Amino acid sequence: MSDWYQQSENEVLEKFHVTKDGHTSEMAAELLEKKGENVLEGGKKKSTLQVFLSQFADLLVIILIIAAGISMFTGNQESTLVIVAVIILNAILGTVQHKKAEKSLDSLKSLSSPTAKVMRDGQKLEIPSKDVVPGDILLLEAGDLVVADGRILNSYSLQVNESSLTGESTSVDKSEMVIEGEVPLADRVNMVYSSSLVTYGRGVVVVTGTGMETEIGKIATLMNATKEKKTPLQVSLDQFSSKLAMVIMIICGIVFALSIYRKMPILDSLMFAVALAVAAIPEALSSIVTIVQAMGTQKMAREHAIIKKLKAVESLGCVSVICSDKTGTLTQNKMTVQDVYVDGQVLRPDDIDIRNQLHRYLLYDAILTNDSTIVDGKGIGDPTEYSLVEMARKIDLREDIIRDMMPRLEEIPFDSDRKLMSTKYRLHGVPTLLTKGALDVLLDRTTRIRTSKGIRPMSDEDRKQILDQNLKFSENGLRVLAFAYREVEEDETISLESESDYIFIGLISMIDPPREESTAAVADAKRAGIRPVMITGDHKITATAIAKQIGIFEEGDLAVTGPELDAMSDEELDSKIRRISVYARVSPENKIRIVDAWQRLGHVVSMTGDGVNDAPALKKADIGVAMGITGTEVSKDAASMILTDDNFATIIKAVANGRNVYRNIKNAIQFLLSGNMAGILGVLYTSVMGLPIPFAPVHLLFINLLTDSLPAIAIGMEPAEKDLLAEAPRDPKEGILTKKFMTDILVQGALIAVVTMAAFHMGLNAGGGALASTMAFATLTSARLFHGFNCRSKHSIFRIGFRKNWYSLGAFAAGMILLNLVLFVPVLKRLFLVSALTAAQWGSIFLLAVIPTVIIQIVKIIREH
Ligand code: ATP
């Protein structure tokens, strides 16, 4: 059988029993069932059993197995059972948590998975790319990701970047012509391949292969696309954990040697060392970090920001510059035509008269060089273009009827680099090039002007008048489009070179009001030490007017255009960049330079983008932000965050959430490590003093895995405080484990250790080793539960209150209930090796346990004043 590229369009269509109207929905459903989803099965996931087994390859588990062995030898069967049960429970919890985290990442992924436009039952539909089946008619346009392999049926200047397959970075022109003979993939110009990007033009394609049957599917096993890299925080915690493990091993060795020297039996000495190891290893740490991050991303998704890369949650907290598009992000993207300038006069849109030939040319240009329309009263397509359709409808001119009457002969689509769009139509029997676009671009290509008196060469005076009018519109924050046309030769095919020697017709200005929440969000950003910068394709004056309205542009700031930026040296840019708050008429390359310059100055930059050419800038920025509604698939693919409401204010919310997640993680780490520190100090103290062993491994396991996890998670759920945006962004270079942080951990751990040892001595005096250990265990557990409240915030509990975080009260209550069950239920008492306590002893435990928290709270109150 010959390859698809060697067959004609009709042959391919026949093979799939399909027309250009696409499959029927029944047929598509049947094919989906038969062929499976259009997805790559890259990077196989671990099975549940594999995940479960992998939980045992952990230092703690190995130490616990040793502990279980020793317990067995010392004839303590029950303890052995508890330890084995704990190991299994720990593995089950680890597996559940792993699967949950995987699921939450998957759900985020599916939220951000690409869509495809297809014909089904003769109608254009947008469907998730996984539902695309062979034989589907795929409609491609600039900015789309190609989601399946396909044979091109029509190409309208279609250009595709196939670098992911061929390594060739320049785009390839595509056409529908049949290719004879065998050619390599890169030369199959009548085919498109999954994972390539449409960089220009439009195309209609019949899908020939989906999922693993695509060319990229064949090499997908080589790619490890689904593997999520660890975040910097996870990496630094991993490093910390392995360093900690080394230190623990050394100390354990010393403690063991010390016990042997003191002539303690070998098994008891070993138990001492094991207890120390269990006390010190922060087993809950990495799972708490994952849980808090996962919960944070879910919250952000509910608040319209989808995090694609977990790393972004951390970087968000460090963002110090936000470069944002204007149209649609800071403004509503609801364009309405305001004024029309034609024949030297400013008219209201209602005053346009279809019988006036000059007006008619303007109208034709406006609604024919235009791909927007109205379906069921709803605007479809680019809002700028839609406003022109709406304007025409107001004077009862139906664009759909006109378009049916006059077929488009050729087109050069709009792109944000060129800032023009051109089409070719036959007007009054004459082939005519109609163009609309940015005035500054179009005016340079204009040689004549059309007025009510006819066509004449454009004078300097005409030019000046047009520019003056443009300035007036722009100063009011209006977007201005210019319209021009030219007759062309019968056989002239239009190309970029054709866009010159125009006859000027007029200007149309449109209003796009700022979003209501923009002003407040800009103020929030500034309060948070973040520099908001507007980057737009629009005119400088228009952009500055809007930037002033919402507070981005302040007195003394600068506005710079793309060409002005091009003329600047890096040194000049570096010296001015802090004052530039508006970049207008920028090209996508300018965006990269702006990101680069801010990054050179040590800033963490967030950059928004929606177009196909924005992808490199989005990748370069620390946080690339794509628009969920208006953004191209290519930009979404390159971004690390997607805004489902395209709203600037959502970025600020996401930054606040990012800061909060980081702060909560840090607090949870402080809670866990300071608690462990108390345990370590307790064991060390008794070992050095030659006292009996203060905690059995089951005690420490009980605390570390049960009573400590709940407050740690509750700390991770702490809602944002008001002062979150009052601080400057965090320095990205500053690690989490700073000197101050470690000192706090040491001091707080020492406080808890002191009261725990006080309880230990009380027990020792009153009843010996067993009671001492019970009292030490109960005190350590309770003190750590109280300490959960300290770690919620740097502020005192009286300032933040209990009501803001019910989880933390719940975690405390649950921990206390668990502890008391162990202390008073006979079976558990036996299993957890605890002795009977009198009411007075219980009272002293409670009082001792509260002391560290009282001290820490007093210090916080003093610091607040
Ligand atoms: P932002 O980058 O903030 O989204 P923008 O939407 O104004 O800004 P572009 O869409 O690149 O940026 O538009 C740049 C300029 O191109 C506009 O100011 C306008 O003059 C012109 N323009 C915009 N849309 C069209 C269109 N559909 N056809 C022709 N010209 C257009």
Side-chain angles (χ1 to χ4, degrees):
M1 192 191 88
S2 59
D3 243 310
W4 298 118
Y5 65 89
Q6 295 158 334
Q7 302 176 30
S8 74
E9 296 97 292
N10 285 335
E11 278 173 304
V12 181
L13 286 173
E14 268 165 34
K15 293 251 163 68
F16 287 104
H17 310 291
V18 73
T19 65
K20 281 190 179 174
D21 280 345
H23 285 309
T24 59
S25 25
E26 294 82 39
M27 186 67 186
E30 206 175 289
L31 278 168
L32 188 62
E33 182 75 17
K34 200 164 117 204
K35 286 280 178 184
E37 290 193 336
N38 175 33
V39 287
L40 299 180
E41 295 151 14
K44 276 220 178 78
K45 278 190 188 141
K46 280 191 192 162
S47 69
T48 310
L49 183 67
Q50 279 170 325
V51 176
F52 180 74
L53 292 177
S54 69
Q55 305 294 318
F56 292 91
D58 184 73
L59 184 63
L60 175 77
V61 176
I62 295 164
I63 291 174
L64 287 181
I65 292 173
I66 297 173
I70 301 170
S71 295
M72 208 149 83
F73 273 114
T74 49
N76 197 340
Q77 255 75 2
E78 280 169 350
S79 222
T80 316
L81 267 183
V82 175
I83 297 177
V84 172
V86 163
I87 296 176
I88 294 175
L89 187 72
N90 184 39
I92 294 175
L93 285 179
T95 311
V96 171
Q97 188 230 318
H98 181 102
K99 286 278 157 193
K100 265 200 143 152
E102 207 172 72
K103 220 171 120 199
S104 101
L105 272 182
D106 280 351
S107 77
L108 282 181
K109 255 194 206 127
S110 72
L111 279 178
S112 62
S113 84
T115 56
K117 291 179 281 285
V118 294
M119 294 297 290
R120 293 262 174 98
D121 304 309
Q123 294 230 327
K124 183 175 163 184
L125 280 187
E126 189 154 337
I127 59 170
S129 69
K130 65 178 172 33
D131 293 345
V132 170
V133 293
D136 259 332
I137 302 295
L138 201 60
L139 307 174
L140 296 175
E141 59 186 330
D144 287 348
L145 276 177
V146 182
V147 299
D149 290 0
R151 167 74 164 85
I152 293 169
L153 303 175
N154 300 99
S155 160
Y156 305 97
S157 321
L158 183 68
Q159 287 182 10
V160 176
N161 183 312
E162 296 177 336
S163 58
S164 56
L165 270 173
T166 60
E168 171 61 50
S169 61
T170 47
S171 296
V172 191
D173 285 314
K174 294 285 178 180
S175 76
E176 54 267 353
M177 68 177 192
V178 183
I179 298 172
E180 307 265 327
E182 297 265 322
V183 295
L185 193 133
D187 296 335
R188 297 177 195 165
V189 292
N190 59 12
M191 295 285 294
V192 289
Y193 293 101
S194 178
S195 88
S196 17
L197 318 172
V198 182
T199 50
Y200 196 76
R202 285 194 300 130
V204 182
V205 167
V206 52
V207 173
T208 55
T210 57
M212 296 308 281
E213 281 169 27
T214 57
E215 291 297 327
I216 194 86
K218 290 180 196 155
I219 56 168
T221 38
L222 298 177
M223 306 193 316
N224 211 347
T226 52
K227 198 164 174 191
E228 171 99 17
K229 274 204 253 145
K230 289 197 168 181
T231 69
L233 180 60
Q234 282 169 333
V235 173
S236 91
L237 286 178
D238 279 355
Q239 284 167 353
F240 169 75
S241 299
S242 54
K243 265 191 224 149
L244 186 70
M246 290 288 291
V247 176
I248 292 171
M249 286 304 170
I250 296 170
I251 302 182
C252 284
I254 298 172
V255 167
F256 181 67
L258 205 66
S259 312
I260 296 284
Y261 173 76
R262 289 235 172 80
K263 310 230 167 10
M264 220 189 238
I266 291 206
L267 284 180
D268 282 357
S269 315
L270 260 181
M271 214 55 182
F272 234 122
V274 167
L276 180 66
V278 177
I281 298 172
E283 44 277 353
L285 200 64
S286 77
S287 39
I288 296 291
V289 172
T290 318
I291 292 174
V292 176
Q293 276 182 339
M295 286 187 315
T297 50
Q298 301 284 354
K299 178 163 188 271
M300 290 188 208
R302 284 194 299 276
E303 294 180 358
H304 306 297
I306 296 172
I307 300 292
K308 279 184 59 202
K309 297 174 186 140
L310 219 43
K311 206 170 95 189
V313 183
E314 283 161 35
S315 319
L316 266 172
C318 308
V319 164
S320 51
V321 177
I322 300 181
C323 301
S324 171
D325 281 338
K326 170 177 73 69
T327 313
T329 314
L330 289 161
T331 67
Q332 298 179 5
N333 210 7
K334 286 202 189 101
M335 307 267 177
T336 317
V337 170
Q338 180 99 348
D339 288 312
V340 176
Y341 175 75
V342 64
D343 201 14
Q345 303 170 44
V346 177
L347 304 177
R348 303 295 299 171
D350 306 348
D351 298 332
I352 299 183
D353 183 1
I354 185 79
R355 285 159 307 184
N356 175 323
Q357 206 183 20
L358 176 57
H359 290 191
R360 196 156 63 239
Y361 264 83
L362 182 69
L363 280 168
Y364 280 162
D365 199 350
I367 60 174
L368 292 175
T369 313
N370 189 322
D371 292 318
S372 288
T373 183
I374 299 183
V375 176
D376 300 332
K378 249 182 72 194
I380 309 264
D382 176 12
T384 303
E385 295 190 349
Y386 170 66
S387 72
L388 300 171
V389 169
E390 206 178 34
M391 172 190 85
R393 291 250 181 163
K394 274 197 191 131
I395 51 165
D396 290 332
L397 185 68
R398 296 271 308 245
E399 81 297 340
D400 45 350
I401 297 174
I402 305 271
R403 286 179 198 167
D404 278 346
M405 273 166 20
M406 292 198 246
R408 187 180 287 180
L409 304 175
E410 282 180 76
E411 69 184 59
I412 315 177
F414 172 74
D415 79 72
S416 48
D417 259 332
R418 199 170 102 260
K419 299 184 174 54
L420 296 179
M421 170 175 177
S422 297
T423 55
K424 188 168 122 187
Y425 282 90
R426 195 173 285 279
L427 295 190
H428 305 295
V430 187
T432 308
L433 177 66
L434 293 170
T435 298
K436 74 177 195 309
L439 176 71
D440 26 349
V441 183
L442 203 55
L443 199 60
D444 288 345
R445 302 162 184 239
T446 305
T447 47
R448 290 160 290 167
I449 180 167
R450 182 163 178 160
T451 66
S452 49
K453 298 194 190 73
I455 299 169
R456 60 173 152 83
M458 188 174 270
S459 65
D460 286 348
E461 183 54 30
D462 290 331
R463 245 173 243 280
K464 187 174 168 304
Q465 259 182 19
I466 295 167
L467 285 171
D468 281 352
Q469 189 55 49
N470 181 47
L471 188 67
K472 275 188 206 140
F473 284 146
S474 304
E475 278 170 348
N476 290 322
L478 299 175
R479 156 177 290 221
V480 187
L481 277 189
F483 295 81
Y485 77 102
R486 163 167 88 77
E487 292 174 358
V488 292
E489 297 298 328
E490 201 62 54
D491 55 354
E492 181 177 341
T493 28
I494 60 169
S495 65
L496 291 180
E497 283 80 56
S498 321
E499 289 179 323
S500 61
D501 194 20
Y502 280 117
I503 303 167
F504 180 83
I505 319 173
L507 304 174
I508 294 182
S509 71
M510 43 196 84
I511 183 163
D512 175 22
R515 283 176 180 268
E516 274 170 25
E517 50 289 56
S518 290
T519 311
V522 166
D524 278 346
K526 289 194 166 170
R527 201 156 53 86
I530 301 168
R531 177 80 151 99
V533 177
M534 177 190 279
I535 301 195
T536 176
D538 217 333
H539 194 274
K540 180 160 136 180
I541 311 283
T542 309
T544 311
I546 303 273
K548 270 186 193 153
Q549 277 177 35
I550 55 181
I552 287 189
F553 190 97
E554 287 177 19
E555 211 42 53
D557 283 358
L558 299 174
V560 168
T561 65
E564 284 165 1
L565 183 63
D566 288 335
M568 273 185 208
S569 67
D570 279 351
E571 292 73 36
E572 192 182 353
L573 178 60
D574 285 359
S575 68
K576 283 193 178 152
I577 195 160
R578 288 193 178 79
R579 285 166 53 217
I580 307 177
S581 47
V582 172
Y583 296 87
R585 289 283 189 245
V586 291
S587 67
E589 292 78 56
N590 292 144
K591 286 190 167 185
I592 304 179
R593 190 149 176 241
I594 297 165
V595 175
D596 206 29
W598 277 112
Q599 283 177 339
R600 247 195 328 265
L601 297 176
H603 284 269
V604 177
V605 186
S606 160
M607 165 72 81
T608 69
D610 47 14
V612 51
N613 301 334
D614 288 335
L618 293 183
K619 282 207 178 121
K620 174 121 192 47
D622 300 274
I623 302 277
V625 183
M627 301 297 137
I629 305 170
T630 54
T632 55
E633 292 299 336
V634 172
S635 62
K636 290 183 204 169
D637 190 56
S640 43
M641 181 165 97
I642 300 176
L643 306 181
T644 53
D645 61 354
D646 291 12
N647 190 342
F648 177 78
T650 304
I651 308 179
I652 306 296
K653 258 195 242 159
V655 168
N657 274 323
R659 286 187 179 188
N660 196 39
V661 165
Y662 192 85
R663 190 187 274 190
N664 288 348
I665 287 179
K666 198 167 167 179
N667 289 341
I669 294 177
Q670 178 169 1
F671 170 73
L672 291 172
L673 291 186
S674 51
N676 281 15
M677 180 59 79
I680 302 171
L681 293 176
V683 180
L684 272 181
Y685 166 78
T686 49
S687 157
V688 172
M689 302 297 287
L691 297 167
I693 186 163
F695 316 106
V698 282
H699 294 156
L700 295 163
L701 282 180
F702 174 81
I703 302 178
N704 283 0
L705 294 176
L706 278 177
T707 54
D708 250 17
S709 309
L710 298 173
I713 294 177
I715 290 169
M717 313 259 276
E718 184 74 25
E721 286 175 34
K722 276 198 214 80
D723 64 357
L724 198 67
L725 286 178
E727 287 172 14
R730 171 167 57 86
D731 178 356
K733 287 198 281 300
E734 179 191 291
I736 199 161
L737 307 160
T738 55
K739 232 190 201 151
K740 165 158 188 324
F741 189 67
M742 295 311 249
T743 318
D744 280 352
I745 286 171
L746 189 69
V747 171
Q748 293 170 355
L751 273 174
I752 298 175
V754 168
V755 293
T756 304
M757 287 303 105
F760 180 79
H761 278 292
M762 272 169 119
L764 208 55
N765 293 337
L771 181 64
S773 158
T774 304
M775 289 193 66
F777 159 60
T779 311
L780 182 63
T781 315
S782 325
R784 282 166 81 161
L785 285 172
F786 280 117
H787 188 44
F789 296 116
N790 299 328
C791 294
R792 277 176 55 198
S793 159
K794 68 173 188 220
H795 298 300
S796 74
I797 194 79
F798 303 102
R799 184 148 152 196
I800 56 173
F802 286 101
R803 272 178 302 170
K804 257 180 79 186
N805 189 348
W806 288 108
Y807 299 105
S808 117
L809 275 180
F812 177 79
M816 276 298 177
I817 290 170
L818 284 172
L819 172 66
N820 282 290
L821 287 176
V822 169
L823 290 180
F824 298 110
V825 175
V827 191
L828 295 176
K829 268 169 77 175
R830 234 190 17 251
L831 288 178
F832 282 89
L833 312 168
V834 296
S835 323
L837 291 175
T838 63
Q841 283 161 346
W842 199 93
S844 346
I845 289 170
F846 191 84
L847 281 180
L848 280 170
V850 118
I851 291 175
T853 296
V854 171
I855 297 177
I856 293 170
Q857 288 296 327
I858 290 174
V859 172
K860 285 187 190 225
I861 293 169
I862 294 172
R863 279 202 191 141
E864 271 165 18
H865 290 287

